[in-house]
Amino acid sequence: MASTTDTAPPGPTAPGAQAPPLPDDPAGLKVVPARHYARWAAAAAVVVLVAQFTHGLATNPVWEWDVFRDYVLSETIVQAVWVTLQLTAYATVLGFLLGTVLAFMRLSRSPVLQTVAWTYIWIFRSIPMIVQLVFWFNLSALYDRLGFGIPFGPVFWSVDSNSIIGTIGAAVIGLTLHQAAYAAEIVRGGVLAVDEGQLEAAAALGIPRLRQIRRIVLPQAMRAILPTAGNEIIGLLKGTSVVYVMSIGELFYQVQVIYGRNGRVIPLLLVATAWYVVLTSLLSVAQYYVERRYARGADRTPPPTPLQRARRFVRTLRAEAGRRHRPVVPFKPLGDIR
Amino acid sequence: MSDVMVDVRGVHKSFGPLEVLRGVDLRVRAGEVTVVLGPSGSGKSTLLRTINHLEKVNRGWISIDGELIGYRRSGNRLHELKEKDVLKQRTHIGFVFQNFNLFPHLTVLDNLVEAPVAALRRPRKEAVETARRLLARVGLADKADAYPRQLSGGQQQRVAIARALALEPKVLLFDEPTSALDPELVGEVLDVIKDLARTGTTMIVVTHEIGFAREVADTVVFMDGGVVVEQGPPSAVLDEPQHERTRAFLSKVL
């Protein structure tokens, strides 16, 4: 017995039965893969359901794919998509700028700045976006004139508030202020995720304060900020559909106008859905590459991008084909494939 | 005593109710290596951090090359300096951390170039030249384009030393530079520090490496309970300690 335990690796023994000693040469053993019957059954059921749904999409006349085709690239819709994109872009850029300022106010050593930022975030996270948008839409009732002057003193210059803040302006302000409250917490979370030692090292090297933030802290915070920020921006893209209450010609509003006229509700909702899916997909791809950029130095060797993987796959296929078709000609394309 | 580079006088420092430093006096002359020994919690690291004003002192003062750190004196008043001016003072004081604290998102070269460009406004080209020379000096010329996480701990600490040297500081402070390293990597870092000692760099090194202290230090300082218990040449402090506490500590670590 002692001789077998010395040479063979330990293995489980069937209870009761005395298994023969394991052979010295592992090649003499055959491995039988485990069979996952339940897993296979579940997969088959899901495939059937998906097939049924896809079949329904293609054949059910209610979808009215011909109407979808007529409208999806029509000028009105494309223009509405453009408005949606603009709202998203402005609210994202301005929202995150303001959010970053708020985040650093909350992280500052001044209790006044901390409190103001905290209060802002508290209020704007508490008001539903749609309520806030209607507020801004009625801005002129609140402040009919906007101007510059000495606080609590004379006003030097002022204008009618409706004339400088149009409907789109009001929508952008509403989306931005709402977004900033969330962005502030996302940025703050990212900054807190950066190791304390990084700021200490930067301070010990005498790097100026603003540059510490811009060059040392924020690039590292981006790793923690980006996944959540990606969520937020995608949420915002779809959230812009709320501004239909202000009768702005963005995608969802325009779709409603059209089906209000022709009664083709389902295919027009499909048009909106298709565009939201396309835009969200583009944002997701962009997010992937931006995250990859900020991962520099975090991984020892960054994984290949999907594009690189696809190219490598094509190269391998070609190499295989080359070998098969020209077996006599010496061919060594595999050198750069790892 | 005009060649005193670092002058620490009566420094007290508390964290809340905990008094970490209780009147520390220390003088380090230019070109000398001072090694600070002591049990953990004795205030060695805190002392080092007060010297470059990462920690504010509660009482006492610190000067480097005759310049008060963190304060400006007019008559009998000490005016607290603004952060901007403290940052400027820190460019004269190199600091090497236990955990390296390299910037992981920047290449090794950019880690060395950042501070000279940002804090001293050196032209980038000049800073790059200096950086490459320093990397060669710590034996890492071929790692300029690597990211810190691609290096071993010993290599990272050598980069951190080169980064501190890039500002051409008047004094270098080491906070347990080898404590985070695997035993077989300690030697390569100590060799770099020894090399700096030979070239006359003023250094204060907090460490547990008694052998290093014996070989390199001009002065060994033993701290315990927030005060300097004993100081002198290594032969005196390490071989014929006068105080019971020093003897007790040495008997444990030797």
Side-chain angles (χ1 to χ4, degrees):
Chain A
M1 230 15 235
S3 66
T4 45
T5 43
D6 279 346
T7 49
T13 330
Q18 196 67 26
L22 288 164
D24 288 344
D25 180 14
L29 293 171
K30 190 172 179 294
V31 175
V32 182
R35 298 199 161 76
H36 307 279
Y37 298 110
R39 203 187 292 170
W40 296 339
V46 169
V47 167
V48 169
L49 284 176
V50 170
Q52 225 176 351
F53 178 72
T54 319
H55 180 256
L57 269 187
T59 56
N60 189 339
V62 179
W63 297 110
E64 295 185 273
W65 287 104
D66 52 324
V67 180
F68 173 86
R69 245 190 319 275
D70 287 346
Y71 278 104
V72 72
L73 291 174
S74 69
E75 206 192 325
T76 330
I77 293 294
V78 171
Q79 233 156 39
V81 169
W82 179 233
V83 174
T84 292
L85 279 177
Q86 277 178 310
L87 285 173
T88 310
Y90 283 131
T92 301
V93 172
L94 298 174
F96 271 87
L97 277 180
L98 180 56
T100 309
V101 172
L102 285 166
F104 281 100
M105 281 169 71
R106 270 206 74 179
L107 292 166
S108 83
R109 278 168 231 159
S110 154
V112 176
L113 296 186
Q114 279 174 26
T115 312
V116 169
W118 184 88
T119 312
Y120 177 95
I121 294 165
W122 168 60
I123 290 178
F124 278 88
R125 284 202 308 196
S126 308
I127 309 173
M129 186 146 87
I130 195 160
V131 174
Q132 206 217 122
L133 283 171
V134 179
F135 254 115
W136 285 103
F137 190 60
N138 296 300
L139 177 73
S140 55
L142 217 54
Y143 303 103
D144 60 338
R145 299 191 72 74
L146 296 175
F148 287 106
I150 295 170
F152 306 108
V155 175
F156 302 130
W157 175 87
S158 74
V159 285
D160 175 38
S161 55
N162 267 350
S163 69
I164 56 160
I165 302 172
T167 337
I168 297 247
V172 168
I173 290 175
L175 291 169
T176 298
L177 295 181
H178 181 82
Q179 198 53 44
Y182 287 91
E185 289 295 271
I186 294 171
V187 172
R188 191 172 68 95
V191 171
L192 290 178
V194 177
D195 181 31
E196 190 79 18
Q198 291 292 309
L199 268 182
E200 232 167 44
L205 287 166
I207 297 170
R209 185 86 183 135
L210 265 180
R211 183 148 170 139
Q212 289 180 20
I213 291 169
R214 219 188 57 230
R215 175 89 166 144
I216 307 297
V217 175
L218 278 181
Q220 295 187 61
M222 284 303 260
R223 296 252 306 147
I225 290 173
L226 280 171
T228 335
N231 258 356
E232 277 298 309
I233 295 169
I234 286 169
L236 183 63
L237 171 80
K238 293 173 296 174
T240 55
S241 58
V242 168
V243 308
Y244 85 91
V245 295
M246 303 166 86
S247 312
I248 291 171
E250 49 74 50
L251 185 52
F252 185 52
Y253 177 80
Q254 222 46 287
V255 161
Q256 282 181 307
V257 167
I258 296 172
Y259 72 56
R261 221 166 37 217
N262 66 11
R264 299 286 181 41
V265 178
I266 298 293
L268 277 153
L269 284 180
L270 270 185
V271 167
T273 306
W275 272 109
Y276 284 125
V277 169
V278 167
L279 296 178
T280 303
S281 312
L282 290 177
L283 282 176
S284 304
V285 171
Q287 183 187 349
Y288 174 86
Y289 281 96
V290 175
E291 273 184 27
R292 211 181 131 80
R293 192 192 133 77
Y294 281 101
R296 276 179 317 175
D299 299 320
R300 291 188 171 203
T301 42
T305 63
L307 205 66
Q308 285 170 339
R309 244 177 275 161
R311 277 206 203 109
R312 188 177 300 175
F313 181 68
V314 170
R315 262 205 313 262
T316 321
L317 281 188
R318 268 207 206 129
E320 292 283 335
R323 252 194 320 213
R324 221 171 292 132
H325 293 162
R326 291 172 293 170
V328 193
V329 186
F331 191 76
K332 41 170 192 169
L334 282 166
D336 60 332
I337 297 166
R338 250 181 265 159
Chain B
M1 289 292 274
S2 63
D3 61 343
V4 171
M5 180 57 88
V6 181
D7 201 348
V8 176
R9 295 285 179 94
V11 162
H12 288 252
K13 172 71 190 174
S14 303
F15 295 107
L18 183 70
E19 205 175 9
V20 182
L21 299 178
R22 325 182 193 203
V24 174
D25 285 288
L26 184 69
R27 267 169 287 285
V28 176
R29 280 193 285 192
E32 277 193 353
V33 179
T34 300
V35 170
V36 183
L37 301 174
S40 63
S42 58
K44 324 179 287 280
S45 287
T46 307
L47 172 66
L48 215 56
R49 292 163 62 85
T50 57
I51 293 176
N52 77 342
H53 212 62
L54 279 179
E55 305 288 356
K56 239 184 249 180
V57 303
N58 300 119
R59 198 135 52 89
W61 53 262
I62 292 162
S63 78
I64 289 189
D65 205 9
E67 190 183 353
L68 269 182
I69 296 300
Y71 298 92
R72 183 173 50 80
R73 186 180 166 199
S74 61
N76 276 332
R77 287 163 185 247
L78 290 184
H79 297 272
E80 213 174 288
L81 288 181
K82 286 190 191 148
E83 191 175 359
K84 201 179 100 192
D85 301 310
V86 174
L87 286 168
K88 201 171 283 173
Q89 289 188 326
R90 289 208 187 105
T91 60
H92 301 307
I93 311 166
F95 200 101
V96 176
F97 295 87
Q98 182 177 348
N99 299 318
F100 331 134
N101 287 343
L102 292 175
F103 304 130
H105 61 302
L106 302 180
T107 61
V108 165
L109 191 73
D110 281 332
N111 263 278
L112 268 66
V113 168
E114 177 63 21
V117 170
L120 301 180
R121 305 195 167 278
R122 296 263 164 80
R124 191 180 154 85
K125 198 166 157 256
E126 191 189 311
V128 167
E129 274 168 31
T130 313
R132 288 197 187 280
R133 208 183 60 237
L134 287 168
L135 283 177
R137 185 165 172 191
V138 299
L140 293 169
D142 56 328
K143 300 292 186 193
D145 298 320
Y147 285 98
R149 291 212 176 107
Q150 294 167 328
L151 307 180
S152 74
Q155 290 172 330
Q156 289 190 48
Q157 193 60 299
R158 279 146 68 195
V159 171
I161 294 171
R163 180 175 72 173
L165 288 171
L167 290 167
E168 293 164 28
K170 293 175 180 171
V171 52
L172 265 180
L173 311 177
F174 293 84
D175 187 8
E176 305 199 22
T178 59
S179 296
L181 297 177
D182 290 341
E184 79 270 24
L185 302 176
V186 169
E188 63 185 70
V189 171
L190 291 185
D191 284 344
V192 168
I193 303 176
K194 283 178 204 164
D195 181 57
L196 290 172
R198 270 192 291 276
T199 56
T201 315
T202 313
M203 295 192 278
I204 303 179
V205 186
V206 169
T207 185
H208 293 294
E209 301 285 334
I210 305 289
F212 170 81
R214 193 186 299 278
E215 189 183 341
V216 181
D218 297 295
T219 307
V220 171
V221 174
F222 177 72
M223 279 183 75
D224 194 11
V227 289
V228 172
V229 174
E230 176 161 11
Q231 58 179 314
S235 56
V237 177
L238 296 177
D239 299 330
E240 294 155 20
Q242 300 300 308
H243 284 77
E244 185 47 44
R245 279 190 283 178
T246 319
R247 274 196 288 273
F249 174 76
L250 288 174
S251 71
K252 269 184 233 154
V253 294
L254 280 177

